[in-house]
Amino acid sequence: MTVLVLALIAGAVIGLALGALGGGGSVLAVPALIYLLGFTPAAATTASLIIVTATSATALYAHTRDGNVAWRTGTLFAAAGIVPAFLAGAVAGRLPEAVLTAAFAVIAALAAVRMLRPSASEPPDRIRPGKAAGAGAGLGAVTGFLGVGGGFLAVPALVSVLGLAMRRAVGTSLLVITVNSLAALAARTGTSGGLRWEIIGPFTGAAILGAWDGKRLAAQISGTTLQKIFAGVLLAVAAFMLVDVIV
């Protein structure tokens, strides 16, 4: 019963993150599955992809209704990451768990630092195909390698590299997360045995419900505040995971 309650609470928090910030769900899901629910790192990354795929698709629908998705930019960005996500997902299963955990923490910290740096913004919907494809391919590789949806990297890239406004970047990142997560899951289909569906199911359900509340929360908070919250969560999780690997 205690494990089920923890799964429901963690799922709700992760749903809020995805709905409000367009990312951060996997960054929170993987540590929660490992440290709170007893999953191995390998099982946690696969379970995280299942949870985040379902949750991000739900949040994407909510943001689409309000016109906060740049479909042309998001489609190009996501398409460029499909093959890298699949290939990296196949490679990740052969690496030591400590390496994956450390890489996960470092990438999260770098993304947080980038979000805190002020950057000049371009016109919100100015699409640069070369930049979109390059950033999308890199994000896809990270998604497959670390077992994350990639929103914590997609949002900074869409804001800083492609010049989307924060709210539009949040909605568009959910499209990218959904596509990349599905590609990474396809690469892990042969290694998905042993997953604890009695935990993944309630976790996912709570996350989906939380995503709707997160979407409403995003409408009441400024883009700058969202960026600061996003970066703070990433730094805290990265620090915790790095300490755990070192100790």
Side-chain angles (χ1 to χ4, degrees), residues 163-208:
L164 291 185
M166 182 61 183
R167 293 193 190 284
R168 204 152 171 79
V170 167
T172 305
S173 74
L174 291 165
L175 170 62
V176 179
I177 293 169
T178 302
V179 173
N180 282 348
S181 296
L182 284 171
L185 269 175
R188 291 167 179 252
T189 51
T191 59
S192 59
L195 292 179
R196 294 156 59 191
W197 291 101
E198 72 278 8
I199 299 299
I200 295 174
F203 198 121
T204 304
I208 289 173

Side-chain angles (χ1 to χ4, degrees), residues 29 33 39 42-52 147 185 188 195-196 200 204:
L33 289 165
F39 280 60
T45 53
T46 301
S48 170
L49 286 170
I50 295 169
I51 294 163
V52 173
L185 269 175
R188 291 167 179 252
L195 292 179
R196 294 156 59 191
I200 295 174
T204 304

Side-chain angles (χ1 to χ4, degrees), residues 7-162:
L8 291 172
I9 293 173
V13 171
I14 287 157
L16 281 170
L18 273 168
L21 303 176
S26 295
V27 174
L28 298 175
V30 172
L33 289 165
I34 294 172
Y35 299 113
L36 295 180
L37 302 173
F39 280 60
T40 66
T45 53
T46 301
S48 170
L49 286 170
I50 295 169
I51 294 163
V52 173
T53 297
T55 308
S56 59
T58 301
L60 173 62
Y61 172 74
H63 281 269
T64 298
R65 293 196 312 172
D66 290 347
N68 288 333
V69 180
W71 287 99
R72 290 173 58 201
T73 301
T75 299
L76 176 60
F77 200 96
I82 292 175
V83 173
F86 185 89
L87 295 176
V91 171
R94 298 176 171 84
L95 295 176
E97 293 178 345
V99 173
L100 291 176
T101 303
F104 185 99
V106 170
I107 291 294
L110 290 175
V113 170
R114 177 155 194 163
M115 284 296 289
L116 290 172
R117 282 171 46 198
S119 60
S121 62
E122 300 173 14
D125 289 315
R126 183 180 178 185
I127 301 173
R128 295 189 175 184
K131 282 188 175 183
L139 177 64
V142 171
T143 297
F145 186 69
L146 300 180
V148 299
F152 67 104
L153 293 174
V155 172
L158 289 168
V159 171
S160 303
V161 178
L162 302 182

